[in-house]
């Protein structure tokens, strides 16, 4: 048993030496620090070595993630950001945030420009082809947002026939529009804030937006309301995504999520984020 183990270890050592041999070119010190390790470098190892976890998000999504001026400085805040900070803390690294259009997030993961996505992203079979998801940490319904003056005119799916319906590019709301409101003329934009602007300026007649986000925008735009029109969606869950094959990182994320759930910290993060939304 012992013998078998040590020959396996030797094989791994050889494999990892090769990896470190390349990776170590520019960084002699870290290469030698790792020379004694016997396992192949995992994603978590790489993040620890870099000293930072790079989060990709789309900060147009209050209370999940949004821009806020804190002491005159623009910052990205929200409960996804707080969760990401906890994941980074548990890994013993600092958090770096990259803000981009929602549609670009999965490509950025694939290209290795970011380590993790937290963006109110819902696991779907299509997405699962290219990324691995953590456990779901939050659930929400989908809502239709309209101008207050149209609330009585837009009550059922048929009322949206031929009307312009805003959805975010690359989101599940795009599919919901196609499947549940096929009579509407769906228009996709990169940022939710631009969809809300198009609604305000009457370029669009309605938009499909995730419940908590819809509430945030409606509260900030007095002429917008949530329509009575109900969509037949189950609650959409949010999960963290990582590039496919990084099970060690998914495990680490799930461990942090479990701790936060047990401590009821996620609820607190959501409440705090809602307070930060103007
Ligand atoms: N939950 C939806 C999806 O996964 C929309 C998420 C949009 N997130 C954002 N930060 N804009 O497709």
């Amino acid at each position: 048993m012992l013998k078998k183990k040590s020959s396996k270890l030797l094989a791994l050592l050889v494999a990892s030496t090769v990896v470190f041999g390349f990776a170590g070119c520019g960084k002699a010190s870290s290469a030698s620090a790792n020379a004694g390790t016997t396992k192949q470098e995992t994603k978590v190892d790489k993040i620890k070595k870099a000293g930072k976890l790079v989060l990709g998000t789309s900060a147009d999504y209050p209370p999940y993630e949004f821009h806020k001026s804190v002491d005159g400085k623009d910052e990205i805040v929200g409960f996804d950001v707080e969760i990401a900070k906890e994941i980074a803390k548990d890994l013993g690294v600092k958090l770096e945030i990259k803000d981009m259009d929602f549609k670009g997030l999965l490509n950025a993961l694939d290209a290795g420009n970011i380590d993790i996505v937290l963006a109110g992203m819902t696991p779907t079979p299509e997405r699962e082809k290219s990324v691995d998801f953590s456990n779901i940490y939050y659930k929400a319904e989908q809502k239709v947002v309209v101008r207050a003056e149209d609330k009585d005119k837009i009550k059922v799916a048929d009322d949206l026939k031929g009307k312009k319906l805003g959805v975010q590019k690359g989101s599940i709301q795009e599919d919901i529009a196609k499947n549940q409101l096929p009579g509407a003329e769906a228009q996709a934009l990169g940022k939710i804030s631009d969809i809300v602007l198009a609604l305000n300026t009457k370029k669009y007649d309605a938009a499909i937006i995730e419940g908590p986000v819809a509430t945030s925008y409606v509260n900030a735009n007095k002429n917008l309301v949530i329509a009575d029109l109900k969509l037949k969606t189950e609650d959409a869950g949010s999960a963290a995504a990582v590039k496919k094959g990084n099970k060690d990182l998914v495990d680490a994320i799930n461990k942090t999520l479990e701790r936060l759930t047990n401590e009821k910290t996620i609820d607190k993060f959501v409440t705090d984020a809602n307070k930060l939304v103007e």
Side-chain angles (χ1 to χ4, degrees):
M1 179 65 195
L2 248 179
K3 245 196 185 153
K4 237 191 186 164
K5 224 181 186 172
S6 53
S7 64
K8 241 192 199 161
L9 280 179
L10 193 67
L12 276 175
L13 187 60
V14 173
S16 57
T17 313
V18 175
V19 171
F20 291 130
F22 282 117
C25 287
K27 274 190 179 179
S29 60
S30 58
S32 59
N34 277 309
T37 56
T38 49
K39 62 180 175 103
Q40 203 150 3
E41 196 177 50
T42 63
K43 182 68 185 168
V44 168
D45 293 335
K46 283 185 197 148
I47 290 167
K48 286 186 176 165
K49 201 195 242 178
K52 62 178 183 187
L53 175 71
V54 185
L55 165 74
T57 196
S58 170
D60 60 349
Y61 224 54
Y64 295 71
E65 48 265 335
F66 53 104
H67 287 266
K68 168 120 190 146
S69 169
V70 180
D71 299 328
K73 229 181 89 208
D74 176 61
E75 275 186 29
I76 295 173
V77 296
F79 69 82
D80 275 348
V81 177
E82 293 306 312
I83 293 171
K85 278 185 196 159
E86 293 292 323
I87 297 167
K89 191 174 94 188
D90 287 350
L91 289 170
V93 296
K94 66 175 175 41
L95 183 73
E96 184 180 308
I97 305 177
K98 287 193 181 165
D99 184 22
M100 59 192 82
D101 276 5
F102 184 74
K103 193 179 189 287
L105 287 168
L106 295 190
N107 279 341
L109 260 190
D110 200 50
N113 294 337
I114 53 177
D115 300 314
I116 179 175
V117 168
L118 273 98
M121 187 180 273
T122 309
T124 64
E126 187 57 36
R127 289 174 181 159
E128 268 159 9
K129 286 182 197 156
S130 63
V131 299
D132 286 331
F133 282 102
S134 72
N135 295 330
I136 284 173
Y137 57 80
Y138 191 71
K139 280 187 178 173
E141 295 178 336
Q142 305 303 320
K143 301 283 183 195
V144 174
V145 176
V146 297
R147 282 181 297 277
E149 75 232 38
D150 293 341
K151 191 172 161 70
D152 293 335
K153 288 184 238 154
I154 303 174
K155 292 196 144 167
V156 292
D158 263 4
D159 298 335
L160 279 175
K161 262 210 179 112
K163 296 261 193 291
K164 291 208 165 62
L165 175 66
V167 285
Q168 185 160 41
K169 255 188 206 154
S171 72
I172 58 165
Q173 286 79 10
E174 229 178 349
D175 299 324
I176 294 171
K178 251 184 240 145
N179 300 331
Q180 293 189 46
L181 302 169
E185 204 184 300
Q187 312 254 325
L189 288 181
K191 289 276 177 203
I192 302 272
S193 36
D194 290 332
I195 295 172
V196 170
L197 183 67
L199 200 52
N200 267 326
T201 55
K202 303 196 174 183
K203 280 197 190 110
Y204 293 175
D205 304 296
I208 305 177
I209 304 180
E210 210 143 344
V213 183
T215 303
S216 297
Y217 278 105
V218 162
N219 287 342
N221 293 267
K222 291 295 168 217
N223 55 328
L224 300 182
V225 293
I226 291 177
D228 297 331
L229 199 169
K230 294 266 174 301
L231 295 164
K232 300 186 295 284
T233 51
E234 294 156 32
D235 290 356
S238 294
V242 305
K243 189 172 174 173
K244 211 166 183 56
N246 295 308
K247 193 177 173 306
D248 61 323
L249 183 53
V250 175
D251 289 346
I253 297 166
N254 282 338
K255 233 170 116 189
T256 300
L257 290 177
E258 203 182 303
R259 173 174 70 76
L260 297 177
T261 308
N262 290 340
E263 297 169 354
K264 304 237 182 311
T265 312
I266 296 187
D267 297 341
K268 184 186 173 295
F269 286 163
V270 175
T271 312
D272 290 351
N274 272 315
K275 279 189 205 142
L276 284 178
V277 183
E278 278 128 341

